Amino acid sequence: MSHPHPELQRPPRLPKGGLRVVGLGGLGEIGRNMTVFEHDGSLLIVDCGVLFPEEHQPGIDVILPDFSWIRDRLDSVVGLVLTHGHEDHIGGVPYLLRERPDIPVIGSRLTLALIKEKLKEHRIRPQLREVAEGDTVDLGAFGCEFLAVNHSIPDGLAVAIRTRAGLALHTGDFKMDQFPLDRRITDLRGFARLGDEGVDLFLTDSTNAEVPGFTTSERDLAPAIEKVFRDAPRRIIVSSFASHVHRIQQVLNAAHAHGRKVAFVGRSMVRNMGVAQDLGYLDVPPKLVVPLHELERMAPNKVTLICTGSQGEPMAALSRMANRDHKIRVGEGDTILMASSVIPGNENAISGVINGLTRWGANVVHKGNAKVHVSGHASAGELVYCYNIIQPRNVMPVHGEWRHLRANADLAISTGVDPDHVVIAEDGVVVDLVNGRASITGKVPAGNIYVDAQTVGGATEATLKDRRTLAEQGVVTVLVIVDADTGLLADRPDFLVRGFVHEPDAFDAAEPIIERALARAASEGIGDAHQLEQILSRDIGRWSHKTFRRSPLIIPLVIDA
C-alpha cells in the first residue's frame, strides 16, 4: 500500500501517455473536494467544493482548495465536472470561475440549476453543459461517461474517464439505497460493465468505510419523522442541509398529512427548495408552503418551519434561535427536529445548539435519540460489493479523513486488490497512472485558502493564530516613546490591556524589560521602529509568559520623541 511521504518533492514531468491525478481537497478531510486529472496536456477537474471552518478558525467563512498548482495552466482546463450539488463539491466553483469564467461546467440538471443560482450572487454567467446518466462527452483528451448514483441529494453522478493511459472511475459521493425516495438507484449494472471493460483506477467515496454493513434506506426514517409530527404539541422546527431534497420531501409529506403549513427559513434554503420545486425534484402539495409571516398568525400546532443550521454554524438560523438572536423565538413545547448528520469537528458546536434550544423549553429530536437521519454514503458492505463487481486494477480512496481512507484501502485489499496497487494520498499528493500502475510521484502545494468576508486568501495560519490568541489570552498594546538621539525611553511606557485576566496595571512591571531591550538595541545600532517593535514584542511576550503563564498578543507602538 502506498502512503505519501513527508519529504515528497514536486513531481517530474508526466510520462507521455500517462494520467496524473491530484486531489487538491477532500483527502484527509471531509470537504472542499476537488480532483484534477492531467493527460496529454489537458486538465479535467472533478468537483470544486468548500470546507466549513472549525472552532480554531475564527472569522473564516469557508475554506477553498488551493488553485496555485493549476493557476498558470487554467487555459488547459477542458472542463469542470460536478458530481452533485452539495456545498462540499460545488461551493468553490465561483472562486475558480473568477479566475477563468469560461471553463465549461458539466453536471446534471439539478446540480447545474443550484450552481447557476449560486453564481448569480457572484455575477458570473457560466458555460453550462447538462448531462444525465448514460451520456458520454468528449472533453479534450478525456472521454467522460456518466452513471447514476444514489446520494442524499437527487441527480448524483459517477464519472468514468477514458484516456490513452486507461479508464478511471470516480464515484463521487454515493450509496446503494435499494429503496430511494426518487426510485433512482446506483447503476451497479453500469459499474459491472465498466469492470468488464477494465477499470485501471477506481476513486471511491471513503466516508463510511469504517461502518460495517449497509447504509440504512431513506424510507426507513419515515416512522421516526411521523412520530415527531404525531406527538409535537406546538411548532415543529426542522433543521437540515439546504440541499437535502429527499429529507425535506419527507418532512413536507408528514406536515401535509398532519394538517400543518410549512415555511422555509434562510436564504439558501428558500433558494434551493425553490429550484428543486421548479425542476420537479420536490413535490409540494398545493398551498402547503406559505411565506413565514403568514405562519406567525397561525395556531402553533399548525406550523412547521424548515431552516438551516444543523451543524451549529454561528450565523445559521438554528444557532441564532438557540442564542435568542433570531426573530423566531423558540419556547416551551416547541419541537426541534435536527435531520442531518454531524460533520466531523462540529460535535461541540452542535451540542451547544441542542443545549441552548433545550434551555428555552424545546424538545430536541436528533440522530442521537431518534432515527431521523441516515447517511448519504456507502458503508463497508456496499464498498466491498463495488470492489467485487468492478475488480479494479488500482484503487485510490477519496473523500474522507485519514482513518476513512485507510479503512477503504483495507476493504479493497480484502477483496483481492494487490496492496501495491492501493494508493492512499492526501491533499496535493501526485498519483500517476503509467503502464497500468498507479504510484505516488510527488507533491504540489495544497494548503488552506481562507475566505474571510470579501477577502480570498488574505487570512493565513498566522492570522488565525493571532485571532485565537486574542480570544484566549487577550491583547496588550504598548506605547513606547523613544528619544531619537539616545534610543532610550523618553517617557514611561503606556500599557493598554484588553481581555487579560490580571489587574490592569499588571504590565507596569515590564518597564525594566523595555528599558533593557532598548539599551541593547541602541548598543547594536538598531534604531528602526519596526525592528524595535519586533524586539519589544518578543521580550515582553517572554516576560508575560514567565510571570503570568499567559501569552497575550503584544502590539508595541514605537514613536520617536
Side-chain angles (χ1 to χ4, degrees):
M1 192 186 306
S2 299
H3 293 75
H5 197 272
E7 281 83 43
L8 285 172
Q9 303 295 318
R10 281 189 78 88
R13 183 186 295 273
L14 177 63
K16 189 172 182 180
L19 174 66
R20 176 159 289 172
V21 183
V22 182
L24 295 180
L27 302 181
E29 62 195 357
I30 303 288
R32 65 169 190 160
N33 297 279
M34 180 176 180
T35 309
V36 180
F37 295 83
E38 179 181 354
H39 180 63
D40 279 1
S42 295
L43 300 178
L44 175 69
I45 302 172
V46 174
D47 290 330
C48 184
V50 293
L51 179 67
F52 293 102
E54 297 182 26
E55 291 176 345
H56 65 277
Q57 295 161 327
I60 299 303
D61 297 319
V62 293
I63 304 167
L64 299 175
D66 186 347
F67 303 147
S68 59
W69 178 60
I70 61 171
R71 184 163 281 123
D72 61 352
R73 295 189 295 160
L74 286 175
D75 289 344
S76 301
V77 176
V78 294
L80 167 59
V81 170
L82 302 177
T83 59
H84 65 283
H86 278 152
E87 282 295 298
D88 60 334
H89 292 257
I90 68 170
V93 173
Y95 301 94
L96 179 62
L97 295 189
R98 279 185 192 180
E99 306 202 16
R100 187 191 147 196
D102 66 341
I103 294 175
V105 181
I106 301 96
S108 63
R109 190 174 178 220
L110 178 60
T111 304
L112 292 188
L114 293 174
I115 196 64
K116 187 176 181 180
E117 287 298 309
K118 179 183 289 289
L119 290 169
K120 281 181 182 177
E121 299 176 10
H122 293 260
R123 297 179 181 174
I124 296 173
R125 297 182 65 180
Q127 288 193 14
L128 303 179
R129 182 166 182 177
E130 184 180 316
V131 294
E133 53 266 31
D135 288 349
T136 57
V137 174
D138 287 330
L139 298 167
F142 305 92
C144 296
E145 178 185 349
F146 299 93
L147 300 94
V149 292
N150 172 242
H151 186 41
S152 53
I153 186 173
D155 254 10
L157 294 171
V159 56
I161 303 169
R162 292 180 173 86
T163 69
R164 290 193 298 114
L167 170 61
L169 175 58
H170 192 306
T171 65
D173 287 2
F174 85 109
K175 59 178 175 176
M176 289 162 48
D177 190 342
Q178 300 304 299
F179 302 100
L181 297 180
D182 60 2
R183 305 303 303 165
R184 183 176 177 272
I185 63 173
T186 293
D187 186 6
L188 295 180
R189 295 177 67 185
F191 281 11
R193 173 175 51 79
L194 292 171
D196 288 343
E197 181 181 335
V199 173
D200 297 286
L201 182 61
F202 188 35
L203 300 96
T204 182
D205 181 1
S206 305
T207 313
N208 271 1
E210 290 184 305
V211 180
F214 284 65
T215 299
T216 306
S217 175
E218 289 278 349
R219 75 172 187 177
D220 292 344
L221 301 184
I225 294 174
E226 164 68 23
K227 184 176 188 303
V228 167
F229 277 82
R230 188 174 64 245
D231 297 346
R234 288 174 55 84
R235 295 181 301 181
I236 297 175
I237 300 172
V238 180
S239 76
S240 171
F241 292 128
S243 54
H244 205 330
V245 178
H246 294 322
R247 195 67 40 79
I248 291 166
Q249 181 70 67
Q250 290 177 300
V251 171
L252 294 180
N253 294 346
H256 184 59
H258 288 266
R260 289 176 176 262
K261 297 294 187 182
V262 175
F264 294 118
V265 181
R267 189 171 53 132
S268 59
M269 182 66 74
V270 171
R271 180 189 67 197
N272 287 3
M273 290 309 107
V275 168
Q277 184 178 357
D278 290 345
L279 296 180
Y281 292 94
L282 194 68
D283 180 18
V284 182
K287 299 182 180 179
L288 175 67
V289 174
V290 299
L292 178 60
H293 65 85
E294 287 192 23
L295 288 193
E296 294 169 355
R297 299 193 298 268
M298 296 178 62
N301 64 345
K302 298 296 182 183
V303 168
T304 300
L305 305 169
I306 302 178
C307 68
T308 55
S310 56
Q311 298 301 307
E313 310 96 303
M315 295 309 294
L318 200 65
S319 298
R320 291 173 57 203
M321 291 177 203
N323 294 328
R324 278 289 196 261
D325 183 31
H326 197 283
K327 63 182 178 181
I328 297 170
R329 310 291 278 187
V330 172
E332 195 73 39
D334 287 337
T335 299
I336 313 294
L337 172 57
M338 300 180 73
S340 290
S341 62
V342 178
I343 294 176
N346 291 354
E347 293 87 354
N348 289 343
I350 294 171
S351 179
V353 170
I354 292 173
N355 279 317
L357 295 166
T358 304
R359 177 187 177 193
W360 306 123
N363 173 34
V364 184
V365 181
H366 53 90
K367 67 174 292 186
N369 61 17
K371 196 171 185 179
V372 291
H373 170 75
V374 296
S375 175
H377 303 271
S379 296
E382 291 152 273
L383 294 173
V384 166
Y385 210 91
C386 288
Y387 286 127
N388 283 332
I389 288 174
I390 296 168
Q391 297 183 347
R393 298 187 178 103
N394 298 273
V395 170
M396 178 179 169
V398 295
H399 197 287
E401 298 177 344
W402 258 98
R403 59 197 179 99
H404 307 124
L405 301 178
R406 179 59 188 258
N408 200 355
D410 289 341
L411 292 175
I413 293 168
S414 72
T415 65
V417 179
D418 186 336
D420 291 337
H421 289 230
V422 178
V423 177
I424 300 181
E426 57 189 339
D427 292 343
V429 167
V430 178
V431 175
D432 287 347
L433 178 67
V434 179
N435 296 325
R437 173 75 183 274
S439 58
I440 292 173
T441 59
K443 191 170 186 179
V444 300
N448 287 343
I449 304 300
Y450 297 109
V451 178
D452 186 341
Q454 298 300 311
T455 305
V456 178
T460 63
E461 295 295 340
T463 309
L464 297 186
K465 182 180 179 184
D466 284 349
R467 289 179 181 176
R468 288 192 295 270
T469 301
L470 285 167
E472 297 163 6
Q473 308 278 356
V475 59
V476 179
T477 303
V478 189
L479 179 62
V480 179
I481 300 175
V482 175
D483 187 302
D485 296 325
T486 65
L488 304 179
L489 277 176
D491 201 350
R492 295 198 67 183
D494 285 331
F495 298 91
L496 182 63
V497 180
R498 290 288 183 272
F500 193 70
V501 295
H502 294 269
E503 56 274 11
D505 58 355
F507 271 78
D508 290 352
E511 184 173 339
I513 303 298
I514 296 173
E515 289 175 339
R516 286 197 293 271
L518 292 176
R520 188 173 69 249
S523 69
E524 296 173 0
I526 298 173
D528 177 72
H530 178 65
Q531 288 180 285
L532 290 176
E533 288 169 355
Q534 288 183 310
I535 292 169
L536 290 173
S537 177
R538 182 190 65 216
D539 285 11
I540 297 171
R542 286 174 178 169
W543 174 84
S544 172
H545 185 74
K546 183 178 179 181
T547 306
F548 303 114
R549 289 291 182 265
R550 288 288 179 271
S551 300
L553 185 65
I554 308 293
I555 304 178
L557 299 174
V558 174
I559 300 173
D560 288 336

